[in-house]
Amino acid sequence: MQQQSDPTGIPAGCPAHGNTPLYGPEFGSDPERHYAELRSQGHSAPVDIAPGVQVELVTSYDASLYILQNPAVFVRDSRRWKALGEGRVPADSPALPMMGYRPNALFSDGAAHARLRQAVTDSLATVDQVRLVRLVQQSADYLISRFSSDPGGEAELMSSYAQPLPLLVFGDLFGCPPELGDRVITGITGIFQGTPGADEVLGGALAELIALKRRQPGEDLTTRLMVHSARLTDEEVLHQLVTLLSGGTAPLAAAIGTSSALYLSEEWPAGLPIEDAVVKTLWNYAPIANYAAHYPTQDVELGGRTLRANDPVLISFAAANTDPKLTEHREQLSAKAHLAFGAGPHACPAKDPAFMIAATAVESLLNRLPDIEVRVPFKELAWVPAPWSRSLTAVPIRFTPRVVPSAAASAASTPGGTPQPSASAPQTAAPRSAQEATQHKGGLFSRFRAWVRGE
């Protein structure tokens, strides 16, 4: 696609044009160095968020708060994106799935945003916290059971635990039957991996789920959104579910993986609670690193730079949280003063449940595998070389092999039949039989539901 060029003949948005690329191995190897260089340019600086896609990145904590809390001047509707409207954004750009307009609360403003957000917040408020903790523990037990009996006592935590756990939790909260839950997980995973057709898989599965809940309402988030007084259309319900999935699963996976690795690291002080490791992760390794595109309704002067009307301004939550100007005040700030969940009218409506899920996931891991260790020092772990998320690529672990019984087995051995956490004492690990390994050929969610039932 022909890109606009300046009088020197250098394409706009090209790294040679002076912009810092916020993607690729060099950025992934040392994000903090890149943020430090950008801070030297002021409150914000132009960066390439993807090849051929220039945005203004805000690295200052104070400037980020100003933008997040000033929705009259900085709006979220990406249909204003000037370069996109003029055809200057590559059609296959990885920035489009992240920044392109969708009819959901994230990309809405004013009354439209208030209506959609109220439906989401009210629906989330119906989630029982005790049930949510139990669901996270069950999901954790299932995933740990899949690798804990490995005779070598080794596994990779991100792919085996941190990444799939939020998917299981959301599948249950949405009220998915097993087969639909499998397709939802396939679709959202494919979107993050760039799999062709994944968007259609996810949309089709959610459309079927909504149709099912029209016929058979349940005590789940999908039904709550559908019966809310805001009277959302089926299409609006679908897009709010996509927002919850995309805004919840990948960031939660990053938070669980980083918090676990940090807590188990050589630099973590003994005796500090797990919650502190999650808080430090949110401050120092913001799971959503650079996001929340805003579009100024007029030219705005900010810190000596002009933010042009309808040009995207992204918030670097990662850089804002580690702004050196905060260093002397961090101890006086509330533990929740970080921007990992955003701020202002578009702040994450599920920040409290998200924190609970992350902390419970780390706690469950330590309870089930009390001698777990990370096989690589924390400072040597690699980060995903992408701008959107601060996530570890892999966390190799070792542990004493043991067997984690299914939820049904735990319930059967508990007085009253109520599922309780199983004992974490090591047991002799027996390899799974071929019949056991092939008994359930469904996807991840189907196998999880069968495990819960003890099948």
Side-chain angles (χ1 to χ4, degrees), residues 138-433:
Q138 281 188 342
S139 302
D141 283 354
Y142 167 67
L143 294 170
I144 295 169
S145 75
R146 300 176 75 198
F147 65 78
S148 62
S149 60
D150 177 80
E154 293 186 353
E156 196 286 293
L157 193 66
M158 294 302 297
S159 60
S160 299
Y161 187 73
Q163 291 167 354
L165 190 147
L167 297 172
L168 295 179
V169 171
F170 274 81
D172 195 284
L173 290 178
F174 284 6
C176 292
E179 188 272 337
L180 275 180
D182 289 341
R183 288 165 55 197
V184 167
I185 289 176
T186 298
I188 191 64
T189 302
I191 286 175
F192 282 112
Q193 294 177 346
T195 305
D199 207 9
E200 290 76 10
V201 172
L202 178 62
L206 291 177
E208 287 187 36
L209 176 63
I210 292 168
L212 173 64
K213 297 303 176 181
R214 288 285 180 205
R215 301 190 303 270
Q216 302 173 17
E219 297 295 324
D220 50 68
L221 277 177
T222 306
T223 301
R224 296 299 185 193
L225 282 169
M226 294 170 64
V227 303
H228 191 269
S229 59
R231 304 179 70 85
L232 272 60
T233 65
D234 285 359
E235 181 183 12
E236 288 175 328
V237 171
L238 186 151
H239 283 287
Q240 308 326 301
L241 292 177
V242 171
T243 303
L244 288 168
L245 273 174
S246 58
T249 54
L252 265 175
I256 292 168
T258 304
S259 299
S260 299
L262 182 63
Y263 188 87
L264 294 169
S265 72
E266 64 286 347
E267 58 188 62
W268 187 253
L272 287 184
I274 290 169
E275 288 78 8
D276 283 9
V278 179
V279 169
K280 185 168 184 178
T281 292
L282 296 174
W283 270 107
N284 291 5
Y285 312 99
I288 300 178
N290 306 288
Y291 196 54
H294 292 71
Y295 301 85
T297 57
Q298 61 194 41
D299 288 0
V300 178
E301 294 294 326
L302 184 66
R305 288 189 59 81
T306 300
L307 308 183
R308 299 294 182 187
N310 298 323
D311 283 349
V313 178
L314 265 63
I315 306 297
S316 179
F317 301 107
N321 279 349
T322 56
D323 187 340
K325 293 181 180 179
L326 288 180
T327 303
E328 57 186 277
H329 305 295
R330 277 277 291 267
E331 292 184 1
Q332 284 73 45
L333 289 173
S334 162
K336 296 182 179 181
H338 59 76
L339 299 181
F341 293 124
H346 282 87
C348 175
K351 57 185 177 181
D352 291 335
F355 187 93
M356 180 184 298
I357 291 171
T360 302
V362 179
E363 180 181 36
S364 297
L365 179 71
L366 299 174
N367 284 343
R368 296 296 180 239
L369 304 174
D371 61 351
I372 185 174
E373 297 177 346
V374 178
R375 294 189 286 120
V376 177
F378 184 80
K379 292 181 179 179
E380 296 180 17
L381 294 171
W383 301 95
V384 173
W388 317 106
S389 176
R390 185 75 186 269
S391 180
L392 292 166
T393 58
V395 180
I397 56 174
R398 68 166 65 93
F399 49 86
T400 300
R402 65 197 65 225
V403 173
V404 176
S406 70
S410 295
S413 62
T414 302
T418 302
Q420 299 289 335
S422 57
S424 59
Q427 302 181 36
T428 302
R432 295 182 180 182
S433 66

Side-chain angles (χ1 to χ4, degrees), residues 47-175:
V47 303
D48 291 326
I49 201 74
V53 182
Q54 176 177 304
V55 303
E56 189 79 8
L57 188 74
V58 181
T59 56
S60 158
Y61 182 91
D62 290 340
S64 295
L65 267 183
Y66 171 74
I67 292 171
L68 292 166
Q69 296 177 342
N70 195 351
V73 177
F74 297 95
V75 300
R76 298 294 298 272
D77 189 337
S78 59
R79 288 174 293 187
R80 288 176 169 267
W81 188 357
K82 185 178 179 181
L84 180 62
E86 295 177 351
R88 292 188 282 117
V89 176
D92 60 350
S93 173
L96 285 177
M98 304 299 294
M99 295 173 59
Y101 175 78
R102 295 176 185 266
N104 59 29
L106 195 62
F107 293 96
S108 302
D109 302 289
H113 168 257
R115 170 176 168 268
L116 295 173
R117 183 180 174 88
Q118 194 64 54
V120 172
T121 55
D122 289 348
S123 299
L124 286 169
T126 66
V127 176
D128 180 79
Q129 300 302 303
V130 175
R131 177 179 175 270
L132 179 59
V133 169
R134 185 178 298 121
L135 173 59
V136 175
Q137 291 171 336
Q138 281 188 342
S139 302
D141 283 354
Y142 167 67
L143 294 170
I144 295 169
S145 75
R146 300 176 75 198
F147 65 78
S148 62
S149 60
D150 177 80
E154 293 186 353
E156 196 286 293
L157 193 66
M158 294 302 297
S159 60
S160 299
Y161 187 73
Q163 291 167 354
L165 190 147
L167 297 172
L168 295 179
V169 171
F170 274 81
D172 195 284
L173 290 178
F174 284 6

